[in-house]
Amino acid sequence: MSWLLALPFFIPITTALIAFLARGRKHLCSVISITGCFAALCVSIAIVTLVVSGGPQAAQMGDWQAPYGITLIADRLSAVMLLISAIVGLCVALFAISDINENRVKLGFHCFFQLLLAGVSGSFVTGDLFNLYVWFEVMLIASFALLVLGGEKIQLDGGIKYVALNLVSTLLMLTSIGLLYGLTGTLNMAQLHISLAEVDNPVAISTLAVIFICAFGIKAAIFPLFFWLPASYHVPPVAVTAVFAGLLTKVGVYALIRTFTLIFPNDLGFTQNILLGAALLTMLTGVLGAAAQYEFRKILSFHIISQIGFLILGLALNSPLALAGTVFYMIHNIVAKTNLFLISGTAQRLAGSYELNEIGGLYKASPLLSTFFFIAAFSLAGFPPLSGFWAKLLLVKASLDQTAYFVTAVALITGALTLFSMSKIWAEAFWKPHPQGHCKSLYSLSVAERLQRLLPVSLLASITLILGFMPEPFIEYALGTAGELLHPDDYLEAVLTGSSH
Amino acid sequence: MNSIILQTATRVLVALILVFSVYMLLRGHNYPGGGFIAGLIAASAFALFAMAWGMEAAQSALRIPPGNLAVSGVALAGLSGLMAIFYGDGPFSGQWLTLIGAKEEDGIVISNVLFFDIGVYLTVLGAVLTLIFALEEAS
Amino acid sequence: MEGPLAVVVGILIATGVYLMLARDLLHYLFGLVLISNAANLAIFIAGRLTRASPPLIPEGQEAPQIVVANPLPQALILTAIVIGFGLLAFALALIAQVYRELGTLDVDRMRIAEPVRPKRKKSL
């Protein structure tokens, strides 16, 4: 049992080591990377089935009982995040075969990619705040390396802004963890839930909560802490952007959800208002920023920010339905966003640029790619019956239930503006004729490359369709997750009463 | 730097520092010390060597690319965490293997903690040297 | 002892923030180094400062016999120092590379990724 929970990060780290030793051979590296991702996928499926049938599962590292040792724990939220990140990892590893050139593979692309996945998975399974910090750093250093790998000027420029602002987040997180330890004497998240309720120092707790919002807020790219994201996400190869877009900011959101449902549940009012304000402004600024952009990947980058606003909104509303909305939105958004970036990469390959005024004619040249883009983009905009519609419906319903009509209005305006941006891409890149008069068709690529580019895209698109046409089991799962988050009794019991045997 | 005094002193010092780093590594098992600090000490030996004799000399003295050293260190540390699987315990739990005699009667006992520490040593040595070589090559 | 050290943490952070407000990237990095030390010191203080022995258990015993210092913050700081060392070393190497490639350390002049006037479409 305890080994199963360690596997989500053991497998990627092992894969990273093997990939590092094999880095001189491009194809071998890809095979290793894909095998590792597939194994991680199998493990996460096993964890999800276990959690659904048996509730939260905990494991104590080194057989040190909680709260003294490091606890690993998988509840419904962790399990689904593990599953979805494994799927994204597999898709991007497939896509990377044709997208990442030999030079980058030699410099260790697959090694850093797997380390990134290890950091992400580790963050999802850990039940210890300091361990979370360590996994964040594993993820961060791998993302630094991936971002500047290859060393083009534009990469260095974007990379330096990413590094500079994320280091601030790291230091804030470290400081707040230190202060929290000083206040309670423990860093085990379950124990913190109990210990912090006994601390009679509301000023210190509120201050800490705000520092945590800032620390995780930089990672999650919420307003006004998101400036590193549009500065850097369009500079690396698109496979890197896709995995960043799918997973990195979501880990920040995951940390926020954990912190504010498990550790600071008694400090509502105050932090909830901050989160709500930040969420609304994030939604609006993100989508307005996207409206001003004319580059494929920059538009998508600004949309990441806007979507983060929706995720935080559910957390801020803090009702079972709202949290379920956040969870469902997270699943939908990771899939759709990764897919859009992968599609933008293939669009650039066919049409020659990311600048919308330099490309066009993609619909005529490759209707298949256009269909996939249509599914992902209009799901993101919330078109019924695609997955984004159900995600937004849950959040809008939750805001209506709390008679927060202003919130509903902002959510709907953001949805409309998202539709505007997606239509802009659709009209410019897909419908209008190519300005230079030629856009390569998918059939001009070799069979292998076509497969490597389209297989992950079609896999993610089919998940979007399944989420859209059969949302009930997923919404049910999300509601179950929200229940666990709001009433963490099972979680506490699993961690603190030594369920390792 | 081309100084005869430094070069001559380095020949002696490098050996001394390396031995001291191994001492620090093994001492860390029961007393202050350990893999991290020992790795830094060993890295300082190679940094000194590089200062006195040049970057290429230091790289050839190390024989293995520092990146590989770091990766093998991580692998060793990971493997020591996996050792517990043969004893049916949780990941990263401490395991003691008795080589000679019994554990209670001053026998020689070897633990996976030691291997973990050696892994840390190699990782720190490799990582620091990767960095030093990269910075030095660039300038 | 906690009081004066808390003031030291404050001074370190203030100095670090001041340095980070500079346009020069190297100043920014030095500011980060100071704040990183401040964070480590904060964890150290959070474990409470006592005049006590090192937390080593004598041979043959299961628990320390005398009052010992809190070992957990020290373990946390060690980890944090290692990670901070790695991150800052990477940042330093990156800054060196940026200076070589872009020829400046002034962040206001680094506009390759985000041009001041992005390409607009001239006509349809």
Side-chain angles (χ1 to χ4, degrees), chain A residues 296-355:
Chain A
F296 208 142
R297 287 203 283 175
K298 280 188 185 169
I299 296 177
L300 295 179
S301 299
F302 271 103
H303 274 293
I304 301 175
I305 299 167
S306 156
Q307 313 294 329
I308 293 295
F310 279 98
L311 299 175
I312 304 295
L313 176 66
L315 177 63
L317 290 174
N318 201 44
S319 68
L321 194 63
L323 276 173
T326 293
V327 174
F328 191 87
Y329 207 111
M330 192 109 89
I331 304 171
H332 137 75
N333 188 32
I334 290 175
V335 171
K337 201 88 231 178
T338 310
N339 206 4
L340 280 175
F341 273 104
L342 294 183
I343 292 166
S344 80
T346 307
Q348 186 263 351
R349 178 86 169 77
L350 297 178
S353 172
Y354 286 112
E355 295 289 340

Side-chain angles (χ1 to χ4, degrees), chain A residues 123 236 423:
Chain A
S123 308
S423 319

Side-chain angles (χ1 to χ4, degrees), chain A residues 91-92 94-95 335 338-344 346 368-369 371-373 375-376 450-464:
Chain A
C91 289
V92 173
L94 278 169
F95 191 85
V335 171
T338 310
N339 206 4
L340 280 175
F341 273 104
L342 294 183
I343 292 166
S344 80
T346 307
L368 187 61
L369 190 72
T371 315
F372 289 137
F373 176 80
I375 293 171
R450 222 180 311 155
L451 204 64
Q452 288 150 9
R453 282 177 180 274
L454 285 186
L455 194 65
V457 169
S458 56
L459 185 66
L460 290 172
S462 59
I463 295 175
T464 300

Side-chain angles (χ1 to χ4, degrees), chain A residues 130 133-134 137 140-141 144-145 148 151 153-154 156-161 163-165 167-168 170-171 174-175 178-179 181-183 187 230-231 234-235 292 294 298 355 357-358 428 432, chain C residues 20 25 28-29 32 35-36 39-40 42-43 46-48 70 72-73 76 79-80 83-84 86-88 90-91 94-95 97-98 101-102 107 110-115 119-122 124:
Chain A
F130 195 82
Y133 164 77
V134 173
E137 299 320 303
L140 202 61
I141 200 102
F144 287 174
V148 297
K153 277 187 181 173
I154 188 169
L156 290 170
D157 187 349
I160 199 82
K161 287 156 194 168
V163 170
L165 289 178
L167 283 178
V168 176
T170 295
L171 293 177
L174 186 61
T175 315
L179 296 178
Y181 176 75
L183 212 55
L187 286 174
H234 60 287
V235 299
Y294 242 84
K298 280 188 185 169
E355 295 289 340
N357 50 352
E358 288 170 15
E428 292 284 330
K432 83 162 193 254
Chain C
M20 282 166 71
L25 267 178
Y28 186 88
L29 187 72
L32 277 178
I35 296 188
S36 147
N40 292 337
I43 299 180
R48 303 293 184 273
N70 186 352
L72 187 67
L76 299 185
T79 316
I83 292 175
L87 289 178
L88 293 174
F90 180 88
L94 183 64
I95 287 177
Q97 185 69 20
V98 164
E101 290 282 331
L102 308 182
V107 273
M110 294 178 188
R111 312 260 14 159
I112 299 174
E114 292 174 292
K119 285 182 209 163
R120 291 258 166 246
K121 69 170 180 173
K122 290 173 188 90
L124 262 171

